[in-house]
Amino acid sequence: MDEHTVPAPLFEEHRPRLRAVAYRLLGTSEEAEETLEDVRRTWRAPEHPSGPPPAGPDRADVPPPPGDPTAAVARACLDRLRARETHHEHPWDPWDPWASGGPPRPGGAADPDGPTAADGPEERPLPSALDGLTPPERLAYVLHDEFSVPYEEIAPVVDRTPAATRQLAGRARYRLREAEEMPEPDLSRQREVVAAFLAAARGGDTAALRELLDPEVVLRADTAAVRAGAAAAHGPGAVAEAVAGRAGTARKALVDGAAGLAWPPEGEPRLVFAFTVLDDRITAIDALSDADHLNRLKLRL
């Protein structure tokens, strides 16, 4: 046996739970199995794990015992989710949440190898419904709300404090329209954040731009926007670099009632930047240039 391979009995003891976690995070059985094998080959168990195994090997919703490799599996899944942000297999369509090549659409064929009711609660969002979350939001929500992992244990995986991790899960619940309520978006504050972004872009202040962007910010671009040079990006540095030039010559606009930017500075808009602002940080920018997409927007310049 390879020295880096986890002893089969120890890893297999946790496999049902680990597989359920990986499936909920990634949405496909194939990726879940690949991730488990990657972790199994590299993860090292603690020398003296303590505590009893889960109550029933098929119960995926039981909190993990000490020595359980859930964190290692979660980190591997997080890496895969982040890679998806900038490597979509199909053109992105803002009105088709399943256009990015994710799991099957609702009503499609069920995954025969997916978790069963024994893996946890039946009333859960479809894997594809989770695609609208940022990778850390998805991980915090799934681990905490579906698998009872404490925020203190999730925090090191997403490189956040426990309080910030709790906030990530709260954002995810809001986006999935779950029970936890959040206040309506503050349009005046949105405008302030977007105005600051515009000023930083015009002044070439990349440090100020990055400060306004969430650590997991994503830039999504439809096919026409990509042809215009607005390639998809992930992370403050990449997003700031991708939009700074064109955004610096844009003008303020209301995009479907939210603060945004339109380009060129005069005449009919040919490129629109729609912003998602949460907690005074920009978490997503949607670059829209396709004529059909622009026609669907309610623009006020």
Side-chain angles (χ1 to χ4, degrees):
M1 182 178 66
D2 187 279
E3 63 176 351
H4 295 292
T5 301
V6 178
L10 178 59
F11 191 87
E12 293 304 320
E13 178 180 277
H14 304 291
R15 181 177 281 272
R17 173 189 172 82
L18 296 174
R19 186 179 182 284
V21 168
Y23 177 82
R24 290 298 293 161
L25 287 172
L26 299 174
T28 68
S29 293
E30 181 180 359
E31 280 192 286
E33 289 294 348
E34 289 176 356
T35 301
L36 290 193
E37 286 307 301
D38 289 343
V39 173
R40 186 183 66 82
R41 289 193 297 266
T42 59
W43 181 74
R44 291 181 180 275
E47 292 186 3
H48 302 289
S50 60
D58 293 326
R59 287 294 307 282
D61 55 340
V62 175
D68 173 56
T70 298
V73 170
R75 285 190 181 93
C77 290
L78 186 61
D79 288 342
R80 285 178 176 254
L81 290 171
R82 283 171 167 159
R84 285 182 188 174
E85 294 290 337
T86 51
H87 296 88
H88 290 306
E89 297 178 7
H90 303 287
W92 172 73
D93 185 337
W95 282 274
D96 184 359
W98 293 279
S100 60
R105 299 167 184 247
D111 184 344
D113 299 317
T116 64
D119 292 320
E122 295 183 19
E123 295 298 324
R124 292 176 169 177
L126 290 168
S128 52
L130 301 173
D131 288 348
L133 306 178
T134 67
E137 287 171 348
R138 182 166 178 158
L139 189 139
Y141 171 83
V142 168
L143 290 187
H144 181 269
D145 286 39
E146 298 187 1
F147 294 95
S148 304
V149 180
Y151 291 121
E152 290 76 13
E153 295 181 21
I154 303 171
V157 179
V158 294
D159 195 25
R160 302 284 205 285
T161 65
T165 303
R166 182 188 299 273
Q167 187 177 61
L168 285 175
R171 288 181 183 178
R173 293 186 202 104
Y174 169 67
R175 292 184 176 186
L176 293 171
R177 301 186 184 281
E178 295 255 332
E180 184 168 310
E181 294 184 357
M182 290 182 69
E184 288 295 317
D186 185 339
L187 179 57
S188 63
R189 187 59 191 142
Q190 280 185 359
R191 282 174 160 163
E192 290 178 12
V193 172
V194 173
F197 182 89
L198 178 59
R202 286 176 174 171
D205 190 342
T206 55
L209 277 178
R210 296 181 62 165
E211 187 65 27
L212 292 164
L213 300 172
D214 185 86
E216 295 296 333
V217 64
V218 294
L219 169 65
R220 298 178 290 239
D222 66 18
T223 304
V226 170
R227 288 198 298 267
H234 170 252
V239 171
E241 181 179 352
V243 302
R246 193 61 60 85
T249 58
R251 51 181 156 164
K252 299 176 186 177
L254 279 181
V255 182
D256 284 341
L261 298 174
W263 185 92
E266 297 180 354
E268 193 71 19
R270 299 200 300 271
L271 176 64
V272 168
F273 294 104
F275 290 77
T276 300
V277 179
L278 289 173
D279 301 321
D280 294 340
R281 289 287 184 92
I282 297 167
T283 60
I285 303 175
D286 295 330
L288 307 173
S289 190
D290 181 87
D292 181 56
H293 293 166
L294 295 182
N295 288 337
R296 298 193 199 187
L297 297 175
K298 296 179 180 177
L299 285 176
R300 286 183 56 192
L301 303 173

